[in-house]
Amino acid sequence: MSALEPKPTHAAPATEAPAPPHVLVVDDDDHTRAMVAALLRRDGLQVTEATDGEQGVALAHATRPDLILLDVMMPGIDGHATCARIRELLRDDALPIVMLTGADDVASIDAAFQAGATDFITKPIQWTLLRQRVRYALRAGRQARELRRAHLRELAVRRVAGMGYWEWRLDDDTLSWSDEFEPLAGIRATQGVLRETFLQRVHPQDAARLRAALDDARSGRGRLNLEFRITLQGGERILRVVGQRGQEGADAAYVFGVFHDLTAVRRTEALVDYLSLHDEVTDLPNRRLFLRQVGQALEQGGEGVWVVAADIQRFGRLNETLGESVANQVLRQLGARLRQLREAGTVLDVARIDGDEFAWAQRVPAGHALEAAIEGVLLALQQPVHLGTGPLQLNLNAGCAAYPVHGQAPEALLTQAQQAQRRARVQGRSWAVADLDELDAQHRQRQLALEQALQSALNNDEFVLVYQPQLDFASGRIQGCEALLRWHSPTLGVVPPAQFIGLLEESGRIVDVGAWVLREAARQAAAWERAGLPLRVGVNLSARQFMSPRLTADIEAALHASGVTPALLELEITESLTMHDVEHAVALLQRFRALGVSVALDDFGVGHSSLAYVLQFPIDVLKIDRAFVTHVTRGRADRAIVRAIVALAQALGVETIAEGVETQRQCDFLEALGVTQVQGYLIGRPMTAAELEALARRAPDARA
């Protein structure tokens, strides 16, 4: 290679530059057309020339230019007719067409716009003005095309997501919406539909709630955000609407919003929930749902409730011999028999809990024969199963445990029943009752291990606080949280509060641990406050702690050490706790208020306090017990109780916080009933301080 020859390079290929905009110039005057073309080419534009209207139409169709400069006065078809034909042929409203006209009268200009022109320039042409008009027209064309494409993309997204727009005109009380809403509502709303006409399509149980939410949006008191059902001939749809009243100018006469069709989402969620709680083979509840159902039965009155666990003798051999398909037929027939027993009222709840293991709960009141009750169910289950190969005789081993003798929690009862079932199988018996001696020994060993581990838990920093968020309806933000104590034992693992709080109370250590909780909660509240996030942190006071003479000093020490604004520390006490000594309770609460801390009356509605006493208590918050929240969407009595509590709180000038909110419908109902804040798994499970801070810093309305 010669030294004068260039050396090859290995640079990456350059990105191809976009083609310059293309302008079609249509003018029968050769001199004017040439001048315009030369000027535009000098500006870097691509130019095509046409000498008359016919040629201009043909070139417009062939080249699809970005801009057309079109003379009005031409032989053959004039500029107005040419413009109209191009518009009809290309069907592109975003294409800018600028007319070059020697006429400056209004009629000629109006005719140009009627033909589809977007702008005009009069002759003789001012060349500087031409360049500016061309630049503006090209930019406007690009923006119009991008807007059109964005609109098409938006339409596609809205169709896939099941979303659209709606607005409410306040002066004539009419609603209108985008096309996506028509199949959901069954009403076309191009010109508007009266609000009451639309509300007739809403499910009767949701109409009052939606009407109240719309009224709030009209008044500007808050943002509309709720789910409701709309009834159609083919069933019902579940919609979520979000909206807010306009703030400025003519917008103040409207409420604007979006809607989202949640029908498929909610059905999928329901299916997922169902599959997560039911056995795939038998369609019976699984272990998780069974324990939940037993827990509900115990809450309604557990005396005489027995939990029974049973398995099929030699089921493994049957599976190996006849195959999985036949074995599944056996399981399905047993499941069907259990379902029939439940429908007949013989048993309360039924489940397939694992493999060939089934469980059920049945009520055997005191004085009734347990043997007859258990063996009656076993006899129904052990009838021959009819398969393609003939009848198959089944034999089961069962074990049973009674509330509260063998345990007070569903999990404990089922565990004891399973242990009794295994003992029955080993002993060759049909069924057996849980062994109290074995149960007592296990309980004593567990309690001893817990007591020994608790002695050093506080000194070894094994306690931690987690925080459950509380959502404020008015602002849509997380305004506070409840601090909850957790124990992470290095030997026992994570110990549930129900297993150690009672031991702390019995031993008296709850006072020291409670003081630590106050200090830690105040420290965290102060840290959030310094970070610009003033969150109210609630701390539960136990009975022994409430009666301790050092409580006031512990609160003062926590406030002083942390430097937190006192109102951000909230003390939660229960109704029953205050009723032991009402005068002392009132005096103590007044002392707390003098320190500046907030006071909440917890679990309100389930205690035994007199209304006259409640009116004496200096409190800031009434917390509505979860017992009234669970069935608020379908229990008229529970709704009435919540409404009464809200009315009392409003009369006292205090906030209300509903606990145990787990579904959006519960949340919507509580908001409609006037509750000010909510707490529960829907808003967030107990979480670390960092997780709660991240949640609180999100956009308003953590449910969204």
Side-chain angles (χ1 to χ4, degrees):
M1 177 182 293
S2 168
L4 298 178
E5 295 180 11
K7 296 181 179 180
T9 62
H10 302 282
T15 303
E16 185 176 348
H22 178 208
V23 180
L24 173 61
V25 180
V26 185
D27 197 324
D28 64 316
D29 186 330
D30 294 339
H31 176 73
T32 301
R33 188 180 66 253
M35 289 287 291
V36 171
L39 179 67
L40 298 181
R41 289 189 179 104
R42 191 171 64 185
D43 284 345
L45 303 178
Q46 178 185 353
V47 180
T48 300
E49 300 178 45
T51 59
D52 56 39
E54 293 287 355
Q55 188 181 22
V57 172
L59 287 173
H61 182 259
T63 63
R64 299 280 174 163
D66 299 302
L67 168 66
I68 298 177
L69 295 178
L70 180 59
D71 186 27
V72 172
M73 303 300 294
M74 294 185 296
I77 60 171
D78 64 9
H80 294 155
T82 302
C83 180
R85 287 176 58 178
I86 290 175
R87 286 290 185 209
E88 182 179 2
L89 182 65
L90 300 187
R91 297 189 179 280
D92 183 2
D93 292 337
L95 172 64
I97 300 178
V98 179
M99 306 296 285
L100 305 177
T101 176
D104 57 359
D105 61 287
V106 175
S108 178
I109 294 171
D110 184 62
F113 285 125
Q114 289 293 331
T118 55
D119 201 357
F120 70 94
I121 298 175
T122 58
K123 294 181 179 180
I125 298 173
Q126 297 182 26
W127 302 108
T128 302
L129 177 62
L130 174 67
R131 297 174 67 185
Q132 294 297 330
R133 291 285 184 86
V134 166
R135 189 176 296 114
Y136 170 80
L138 287 170
R139 182 170 66 248
R142 284 195 303 270
Q143 292 174 343
R145 289 189 181 92
E146 183 55 40
L147 184 62
R148 184 175 60 197
R149 292 165 186 159
H151 180 63
L152 291 173
R153 288 191 291 266
E154 176 196 329
L155 287 175
V157 170
R158 280 159 48 186
R159 290 191 189 99
V160 172
M163 300 183 71
Y165 301 108
W166 64 273
E167 64 181 44
W168 176 21
R169 183 172 173 174
L170 301 178
D171 58 358
D172 62 3
D173 203 27
T174 58
L175 299 166
S176 57
W177 45 73
S178 56
D179 293 340
E180 294 86 359
F181 198 70
E182 182 181 343
L184 307 179
I187 311 174
R188 187 166 183 81
T190 54
Q191 301 299 324
V193 172
L194 285 172
R195 179 175 62 147
E196 287 304 317
T197 302
F198 172 72
L199 286 171
Q200 292 173 8
R201 299 294 183 102
V202 177
H203 194 284
Q205 294 180 0
D206 298 340
R209 206 161 41 85
L210 178 57
R211 183 180 287 106
L214 288 170
D215 289 341
D216 284 345
R218 177 201 288 271
S219 67
R221 289 196 296 266
R223 189 177 72 161
L224 175 67
N225 185 353
L226 82 164
E227 289 183 23
F228 63 92
R229 293 164 292 173
I230 193 162
T231 304
L232 301 173
Q233 290 183 348
E236 64 181 31
R237 309 291 294 182
I238 301 173
L239 303 180
R240 180 183 182 186
V241 293
V242 177
Q244 191 163 4
R245 183 167 180 173
Q247 300 296 316
E248 299 179 5
D251 290 351
Y254 291 84
V255 173
F256 301 95
V258 297
F259 65 84
H260 187 190
D261 181 8
L262 293 177
T263 309
V265 174
R266 293 292 178 256
R267 285 174 180 168
T268 301
E269 289 174 349
L271 178 60
V272 170
D273 288 344
Y274 183 86
L275 294 176
S276 69
L277 295 172
H278 289 78
D279 171 55
E280 184 178 357
V281 175
T282 65
D283 206 31
L284 290 178
N286 59 17
R287 182 189 185 99
R288 178 184 172 194
L289 179 55
F290 178 70
L291 292 174
R292 182 187 301 177
Q293 292 172 334
V294 171
Q296 293 172 350
L298 297 180
E299 289 177 1
Q300 295 168 2
E303 292 294 334
V305 172
W306 287 77
V307 172
V308 185
D311 70 349
I312 305 171
Q313 293 181 13
R314 297 180 295 278
F315 182 77
R317 183 179 300 174
L318 183 151
N319 198 353
E320 294 173 359
T321 304
L322 300 180
E324 182 179 357
S325 176
V326 174
N328 284 343
Q329 290 184 46
V330 173
L331 296 175
R332 277 192 285 270
Q333 291 197 35
L334 272 181
R337 291 174 182 177
L338 275 173
R339 227 176 348 258
Q340 291 171 356
L341 290 169
R342 181 189 61 197
E343 292 168 357
T346 307
V347 298
L348 301 176
D349 301 297
V350 298
R352 180 190 176 200
I353 55 177
D354 187 27
D356 64 328
E357 268 194 284
F358 293 84
W360 64 90
Q362 59 187 117
R363 193 179 295 274
V364 185
H368 289 65
L370 174 66
E371 181 177 354
I374 300 296
E375 290 187 351
V377 175
L378 289 176
L379 180 63
L381 296 177
Q382 292 179 148
Q383 294 298 312
V385 173
H386 297 280
L387 306 171
T389 56
L392 175 67
Q393 179 64 47
L394 296 180
N395 292 298
L396 278 71
N397 295 115
C400 55
Y403 173 89
V405 179
H406 301 110
Q408 297 187 5
E411 184 74 49
L413 290 171
L414 181 57
T415 299
Q416 292 303 313
Q418 288 178 299
Q419 291 179 354
Q421 174 263 320
R422 287 189 283 270
R423 189 169 67 253
R425 185 174 62 240
V426 171
Q427 296 173 353
R429 298 162 57 191
S430 176
W431 63 282
V433 178
D435 191 336
L436 282 175
D437 292 338
E438 178 183 349
L439 180 66
D440 289 343
Q442 290 178 356
H443 179 70
R444 286 195 297 272
Q445 291 175 358
R446 174 70 175 174
Q447 290 298 98
L448 180 60
L450 285 173
E451 290 176 8
Q452 291 175 341
L454 267 177
Q455 293 178 4
S456 57
L458 184 58
N459 293 333
N460 294 339
D461 294 327
E462 296 173 15
F463 291 117
V464 297
L465 290 185
V466 293
Y467 304 88
Q468 187 165 30
Q470 296 164 340
L471 176 74
D472 178 73
F473 281 131
S475 65
R477 292 187 177 277
I478 303 300
Q479 297 283 41
C481 60
E482 180 179 356
L484 301 169
L485 183 64
R486 296 292 185 265
W487 179 22
H488 295 175
S489 169
T491 56
L492 301 173
V494 178
V495 184
Q499 295 185 15
F500 70 85
I501 296 294
L503 290 175
L504 287 175
E505 284 275 5
E506 293 172 9
S507 65
R509 295 191 186 93
I510 192 67
V511 176
D512 291 330
V513 174
W516 175 85
V517 171
L518 285 169
R519 293 194 302 271
E520 178 62 17
R523 183 201 63 77
Q524 183 58 64
W528 281 329
E529 185 180 15
R530 287 192 298 270
L533 193 68
L535 295 176
R536 183 190 63 246
V537 180
V539 175
N540 292 283
L541 298 182
S542 71
R544 187 181 288 257
Q545 187 182 13
F546 187 72
M547 301 305 295
S548 171
R550 55 175 276 195
L551 176 58
T552 303
D554 287 341
I555 297 171
E556 290 175 333
L559 294 174
H560 178 74
S562 64
V564 68
T565 298
L568 294 179
L569 182 64
E570 183 175 86
L571 306 178
E572 297 188 8
I573 58 173
T574 61
E575 280 188 82
S576 56
L577 189 151
T578 60
M579 296 310 297
H580 292 300
D581 187 341
V582 175
E583 291 184 2
H584 171 74
V586 171
L588 196 56
L589 295 181
Q590 289 173 342
R591 203 175 305 158
F592 296 161
R593 291 290 296 275
L595 294 174
V597 300
S598 303
V599 177
L601 194 58
D602 198 8
D603 299 336
F604 187 73
V606 297
H608 305 285
S609 57
S610 164
L611 183 59
Y613 287 129
V614 173
L615 295 175
Q616 297 179 40
F617 295 149
I619 57 175
D620 301 281
V621 177
L622 283 178
K623 298 194 74 174
I624 302 171
D625 188 76
R626 69 180 61 243
F628 306 119
V629 172
T630 300
H631 303 297
V632 72
T633 60
R634 57 182 184 274
R636 183 176 300 176
D638 287 339
R639 284 199 296 274
I641 292 172
V642 172
R643 189 179 291 111
I645 294 174
V646 169
L648 173 62
Q650 291 172 345
L652 295 174
V654 301
E655 299 287 318
T656 48
I657 300 178
E659 300 179 294
V661 179
E662 297 185 356
T663 69
Q664 184 64 48
R665 282 180 56 74
Q666 289 173 342
C667 194
D668 292 341
F669 266 81
L670 292 167
E671 184 176 10
L673 291 172
V675 172
T676 54
Q677 296 184 32
V678 285
Q679 172 183 341
Y681 285 176
L682 176 68
I683 311 305
R685 293 174 178 268
M687 59 188 69
T688 65
E691 291 170 335
L692 187 121
E693 179 173 348
L695 178 65
R697 291 190 184 279
R698 290 182 194 165
D701 199 337
R703 297 167 291 164

